[in-house]
Amino acid sequence: MKTSNKIKLANLTTWTMIITISLIALFFIGFVVTNTFDLNVFTNRTSTFIYSFIGFSTVIVLCSAILNISLNISLIADSKTQEYQGKETSFITRKYLFYTLGLVAIIVSSLFLGDFFTRQNEKDKLFSEANDIVARYQSSIDKISVGLSDTSKIGDVPEVLKFLSNQKQMFPEVKLITSDKFNGQLTFLEINDYGYHKDLKKPFYNNSFYKCQIHDCEYLSDYFTGKTNANHFWTENDDYKLYIPFEGKGKKYILLFTKYERQGKFGS
């Protein structure tokens, strides 16, 4: 092979490695940002494609590196490496660096934007499906108020929750949250769809306290003290929660609709 062709091919393999490694680096940056900030962006199929691409790209880089090393050894053997390489211009330029940094910024921004739209989309669907359940099964929900005000019928509450939980695929569970006083302090209790009848008749539903965080503790406190009657939506990591308040038979309670979404919406 002519020396000039060897140099062209060596340059081609070099650029192949640079471009491929750059793409891998960009994907890796996206992966780190997504996991560090718990962004919910890509669908399962898109994530699988990304992992497959990284594996395929790694093979390309290894093959290009082997070919590049072989060609450069051959050029050194021809003793003309310096003559031809002196005519080549440096490919590491400021423009290339600025383009790379700009591309990284665009990718990171796109990940955060994708996470925002994913969560907004899930919020809209959660509200829509939850409101549909409330409107469609109001008579069943009314039985919750009866059960909370009559201890002889408290055992009906888990059955209602189980019924509501099985109506929508996107809701793995619908919980009930109510309030009580513990040592004169406002506390929150929860009942789920597998609550035992005998436990519900014990104090504080057999100590079934609802473990809340600051954001929903404040909302629950405001609702049960009469400061608000609004719904409350919250999302973090892969969790989506919608709190819908109700009142009947002198009892205030909240139906908590939850969803766990491990994948985003980008890709197919």
Side-chain angles (χ1 to χ4, degrees):
M1 183 184 296
K2 293 182 179 180
T3 303
S4 59
N5 291 334
K6 290 181 181 179
I7 292 179
K8 290 179 181 179
L9 187 56
N11 287 336
L12 178 61
T13 57
T14 299
W15 276 105
T16 300
M17 287 189 293
I18 291 173
I19 293 173
T20 306
I21 292 174
S22 297
L23 290 174
I24 293 176
L26 292 174
F27 278 121
F28 180 74
I29 291 173
F31 174 81
V32 171
V33 171
T34 300
N35 285 273
T36 300
F37 295 97
D38 293 309
L39 304 182
N40 200 352
V41 182
F42 299 109
T43 63
N44 184 51
R45 292 176 62 183
T46 303
S47 299
T48 301
F49 166 76
I50 291 175
Y51 296 141
S52 299
F53 174 80
I54 292 177
F56 178 71
S57 299
T58 302
V59 174
I60 292 179
V61 171
L62 290 175
C63 293
S64 298
I66 294 173
L67 180 58
N68 186 272
I69 292 172
S70 299
L71 289 169
N72 279 288
I73 291 176
S74 178
L75 287 170
I76 293 173
D78 292 338
S79 301
K80 294 185 178 181
T81 303
Q82 294 295 330
E83 176 184 350
Y84 285 94
Q85 285 186 342
K87 298 178 181 179
E88 301 297 328
T89 59
S90 175
F91 53 81
I92 303 297
T93 63
R94 288 187 178 181
K95 183 180 294 186
Y96 175 80
L97 179 60
F98 290 150
Y99 285 154
T100 301
L101 293 177
L103 185 57
V104 170
I106 291 173
I107 290 176
V108 173
S109 300
S110 298
L111 291 174
F112 278 96
L113 192 61
D115 178 74
F116 170 78
F117 283 121
T118 293
R119 295 187 185 279
Q120 187 63 42
N121 180 60
E122 293 303 315
K123 175 183 178 180
D124 294 340
K125 290 198 300 185
L126 195 61
F127 267 92
S128 177
E129 297 292 347
N131 289 332
D132 180 62
I133 285 182
V134 172
R136 194 182 298 270
Y137 305 111
Q138 185 61 56
S139 59
S140 295
I141 294 175
D142 290 339
K143 292 182 179 180
I144 294 177
S145 301
V146 176
L148 292 176
S149 59
D150 186 351
T151 55
S152 65
K153 297 181 179 180
I154 188 66
D156 295 337
V157 174
E159 297 300 322
V160 174
L161 296 176
K162 182 180 294 184
F163 170 76
L164 296 176
S165 298
N166 290 329
Q167 299 310 306
K168 297 288 184 177
Q169 185 177 4
M170 70 184 305
F171 298 135
E173 185 177 20
V174 178
K175 294 182 179 181
L176 181 144
I177 301 176
T178 186
S179 66
D180 205 336
K181 291 285 186 177
F182 183 85
N183 292 332
Q185 305 163 104
L186 180 65
T187 188
F188 311 115
L189 307 173
E190 71 170 286
I191 301 177
N192 48 49
D193 58 5
Y194 52 85
Y196 296 104
H197 295 189
K198 61 180 181 179
D199 290 336
L200 297 178
K201 295 183 179 181
K202 295 179 180 179
F204 306 110
Y205 306 136
N206 197 24
N207 295 324
S208 297
F209 298 105
Y210 179 68
K211 300 177 180 63
C212 57
Q213 300 183 39
I214 292 179
H215 68 91
D216 52 347
C217 280
E218 291 179 352
Y219 166 74
L220 294 174
S221 178
D222 288 344
Y223 171 66
F224 287 112
T225 56
K227 295 180 180 179
T228 183
N229 285 311
N231 297 335
H232 179 65
F233 173 79
W234 170 78
T235 177
E236 183 178 68
N237 299 335
D238 300 317
D239 294 318
Y240 298 82
K241 296 182 179 180
L242 174 60
Y243 301 76
I244 298 183
F246 294 88
E247 186 172 358
K249 302 292 183 180
K251 294 290 184 179
K252 303 182 75 170
Y253 63 94
I254 286 175
L255 287 183
L256 172 59
F257 295 85
T258 63
K259 181 180 181 182
Y260 185 75
E261 179 64 55
R262 298 190 61 182
Q263 301 295 336
K265 300 302 173 188
F266 278 13
S268 60

